[in-house]
Amino acid sequence: MEDMRALSYGLGQQYFEERDYRGAIRALQPVVDDTPDDVGTRLLLARAYYHAALLKPAEEQLLAVIEREPTEYYAHLMMARTLERQSRPDEAGKHRRIAAALTGDDELLKPHSL
């Protein structure tokens, strides 16, 4: 089982690097289902959803990452971008402020810094 997860993750990462985001989603979703606390895989899945313009599933995955790892600045930054793409700038601002506070980088407060 561990070998299958590793294979699926590797495949998902390859698809992502090739910009086949839907292929990455198909490969990564079963891994996340099997190992829901694996923040790294879940974050990669969220990125694939985001780049595939599947913003609601991206938001759901990012919420799960933030719940498990509230100091993961990149998840907050991605959440801000995801919310901005959904025309929800007020909600996005909260996540930008958290990302900036976690990193000390005020540039993250500016929209479109991903």
Side-chain angles (χ1 to χ4, degrees):
M1 189 62 151
E2 186 73 28
D3 291 338
M4 287 303 295
R5 277 196 301 267
L7 182 64
S8 291
Y9 178 82
L11 191 57
Q13 199 168 32
Q14 180 180 342
Y15 283 139
F16 187 88
E17 290 169 4
E18 294 171 354
R19 296 183 178 178
D20 178 358
Y21 302 117
R22 291 183 187 260
I25 292 165
R26 283 190 302 275
L28 294 169
Q29 187 62 62
V31 178
V32 168
D33 291 344
D34 285 347
T35 55
D37 291 328
D38 181 350
V39 171
T41 302
R42 192 178 286 275
L43 188 55
L44 183 58
L45 177 60
R47 290 175 65 201
Y49 277 125
Y50 174 85
H51 287 293
L54 298 168
L55 301 178
K56 280 296 185 187
E59 181 180 349
E60 291 168 9
Q61 294 301 322
L62 290 165
L63 283 172
V65 168
I66 291 167
E67 179 181 299
R68 287 167 174 80
E69 200 65 48
T71 59
E72 176 58 61
Y73 93 92
Y74 193 70
H76 286 283
L77 186 57
M78 280 203 59
M79 179 64 86
R81 291 292 294 128
T82 300
L83 293 169
E84 287 165 355
R85 284 181 70 182
Q86 294 178 73
S87 300
R88 295 161 59 191
D90 293 340
E91 293 172 75
K94 169 189 163 189
H95 291 282
R96 282 197 174 279
R97 288 189 297 278
I98 292 170
L102 289 170
T103 63
D105 184 357
D106 287 345
E107 288 295 309
L108 298 179
L109 294 170
K110 299 175 185 175
H112 307 294
S113 63
L114 240 188

